[in-house]
Amino acid sequence: MRDNSSATVPVRPLIPSPAPSSLAGQSRTGLWWGLLGVAAFSFTVPFTKVAVGGLSPLFIGSGRAVAAAVLAAAALVLSRQRLPHGIQWLRLGVVAGGVVTGFPMLTSFALAAAPASHGAVVIALLPAATATTAVLRGRERPPAAFWAATGAGAFAAVAFAFAQPDGFGQVQWTDLLFFGAVLAAAVGYAEGGLLARELGAWQTISWALVLASPLMVVVMAFSVLQQPPSGTPVEWAAFAYLGVVSMFLGFFAWYHGLAIGPMAQVSQVQLAQPVMTIGWAALLLGEPLTWATVIGGPAVILCAGAAVRVRLSPPTAGGRRRLAPPVLPRAQAPGRRRPPGQR
């Protein structure tokens, strides 16, 4: 039997468990980078709400991607990054479809009619959605409590959408857009976090932006012909933030944090994003805090937090989670002799 072979080795997860000795420091570093990214993203919904006051949602969704792609291309060329290869291009297409095209477009159209605080509550599902996507993508088998908490969070978000004063008993079309945005971002976050370990954090979002840029240029040109943009300085400033920070610089920190990992633990800091966003909406936009927001927001956040924490909890003796086998020291590997003087 060779050193690295075993007849009883189970299927390894895509994200192997780090050594316990390095986990604490690694987690702290990843969490700080993740928190920096979340702080940058927390302004996205309020500033999108500001921008749609004078700019079309189609122009905002595509134009912010084009602006970020210009910066990304310059960074890639100046740093002489190597081209991705093979399957990495397909995976970058998944990232681009989720965070470059899907989330910005869907939220821009939704926020043209919905309050920013309302969108923040529905988007609070994102941490649980990202953890779920990471579970499926990473070939994990979390306990039933994980799925129960995730389902409870989804139910709380749908109940919040049903309970709005202007549409009690039915989900508005804007809520469907928000739910679609959550799904798109979750897929893009999970795949981008994995790909960042191969290409690098800022390189991943940069290549995704460049890959999506031809389509985004066409869409932006169509939006300009359909409705020439004419916004106030404040609306253009909000648009600039969306393109430079929300679409580009924020991902530097976010994907770097996910790449350092552990991915599921770093994704917990997303739980602070809806709280920040609701606060910015009240402070910057003067949106009132309704009882539905006050009750619905914490309910969704608690369920999302429970889902992520259950996934992070160590397995029980009878658990069925498949973990990577422990790595034996070379001196104890089968077929090798112990070095002299070692017991």
Side-chain angles (χ1 to χ4, degrees):
M1 186 179 294
R2 292 175 300 181
D3 292 350
N4 295 327
S5 65
S6 174
T8 60
V9 174
V11 177
R12 292 175 181 264
L14 291 182
I15 308 174
S17 300
S21 59
S22 63
L23 183 60
Q26 175 180 317
S27 298
R28 284 194 296 269
T29 303
L31 285 172
W32 278 113
W33 279 107
L35 184 59
L36 181 60
V38 164
F41 294 150
S42 67
F43 288 95
T44 300
V45 170
F47 283 172
T48 302
K49 184 65 177 178
V50 171
V52 296
L55 305 173
S56 71
L58 192 61
F59 175 79
I60 295 171
S62 58
R64 61 189 278 190
V66 172
V70 172
L71 299 175
L76 291 170
V77 170
L78 292 175
S79 60
R80 298 181 180 180
Q81 296 294 315
R82 293 182 179 180
L83 289 172
H85 58 82
I87 195 66
Q88 289 178 338
W89 284 112
L90 295 177
R91 296 170 65 189
L92 283 169
V94 173
V95 177
V99 301
V100 178
T101 303
F103 186 84
M105 286 289 189
L106 293 172
T107 54
S108 295
F109 278 100
L111 289 168
S117 57
H118 180 94
V121 172
V122 180
I123 294 175
L125 272 174
L126 189 53
T130 302
T132 301
T133 306
V135 161
L136 299 176
R137 181 68 176 86
R139 305 173 189 167
E140 300 178 21
R141 288 186 178 181
F146 170 83
W147 300 112
T150 302
F155 175 80
V158 173
F160 168 79
F162 267 92
Q164 295 309 297
D166 55 349
F168 186 82
Q170 59 181 349
V171 175
Q172 302 296 310
W173 66 272
T174 54
D175 293 309
L176 298 179
L177 295 180
F178 283 131
F179 285 130
V182 166
L183 178 60
V187 173
Y189 281 169
E191 191 62 43
L194 290 172
L195 197 54
R197 300 183 177 192
E198 303 173 19
L199 299 177
W202 69 268
Q203 293 92 333
T204 297
I205 186 59
S206 296
W207 285 118
L209 286 165
V210 170
L211 183 62
S213 60
L215 174 61
M216 292 295 96
V217 168
V218 172
V219 174
M220 185 182 71
F222 174 79
S223 68
V224 171
L225 293 176
Q226 187 181 47
Q227 181 183 337
S230 58
T232 65
V234 173
E235 290 163 352
W236 280 110
F239 173 80
Y241 183 93
L242 296 174
V244 176
V245 180
S246 296
M247 198 78 258
F248 189 56
L249 296 180
F251 280 99
F252 278 43
W254 178 240
Y255 276 155
H256 187 57
L258 290 178
I260 294 174
M263 185 186 295
Q265 187 168 352
V266 174
S267 69
Q268 286 187 96
V269 301
Q270 280 184 307
L271 299 172
Q273 184 172 335
V275 178
M276 294 180 184
T277 298
I278 292 173
W280 298 135
L283 182 64
L284 301 176
L285 305 179
E287 293 186 359
L289 295 178
T290 63
W291 280 110
T293 302
V294 172
I295 297 175
V300 176
I301 293 169
L302 287 174
C303 292
V308 176
R309 288 183 179 278
V310 167
R311 180 173 174 249
L312 289 174
S313 61
T316 59
R320 297 179 59 190
R321 292 177 62 184
R322 295 180 297 182
L323 300 177
V327 179
L328 295 177
R330 296 183 64 86
Q332 300 178 18
R336 287 187 177 273
R337 299 175 60 184
R338 297 177 183 271
Q342 190 178 77
R343 297 182 178 180

